[in-house]
Amino acid sequence: MKEPTSLASWTRALRKQLDALGLDSTALCQQAGLDPQLMDDPNARYPLSATTRLWEIAVQVSGDPAIGLRVSRFVSPTTFHALGYALVASGSLREVFERIVRYHQVVSDALDLSFERIDDHYVFRFRVPEGGPLPANEAMDAFAAIYLRTCRNRLGRHYAPLEVHLMRPQPADPKPWHDMFRAPLSFGAAENLLLFA
């Protein structure tokens, strides 16, 4: 199986978080085996193993197991190139998530995404493909937080999903996750998903 990759530009958000903490993101990228100059190439991709190392290093040097949640503040429409602009142009939140699912392979092939209506709810799942390597827990936190921030940008900052399920183990201090999602939250879940009204 070919190793999954993601757009190099996606890692820029983590670098900005590290820089905001006064850490040398260039040196940390190099330590993880990533060429920081590739982040300026819109077509460059990083292998999942190297980005996972960078997340591990980021947690270690920052001392912040919730760093993935904080990285979401540094994601903008330009982070994901044309996909970001397509999301901004979407007419509804449902259309946003349909476009995320349709075009996410451009950003990363490390996850399988789905968005479906079940009765009076919508379920957005972000799963690791069968037999695929697991991304860092912090990367999954960042994805969940980015999706939620997308909703809040449209519906207001107080918006919350009905439920959040994360496969990651429960952290020693779950408060940052509860503060971010403001919804019933399951750690150690069978899958990663957000449940919407």
Side-chain angles (χ1 to χ4, degrees), residues 114-118 121-125 127:
S114 67
F115 182 70
E116 61 183 325
R117 184 173 181 157
I118 300 176
H121 301 101
Y122 284 94
V123 181
F124 178 69
R125 292 181 169 92
R127 306 176 209 182

Side-chain angles (χ1 to χ4, degrees), residues 47-70:
L48 180 65
S49 57
T51 57
T52 298
R53 271 195 308 277
L54 181 60
W55 281 106
E56 291 166 355
I57 292 167
V59 172
Q60 182 182 12
V61 298
S62 69
D64 183 6
I67 196 167
L69 302 176
R70 301 181 211 303

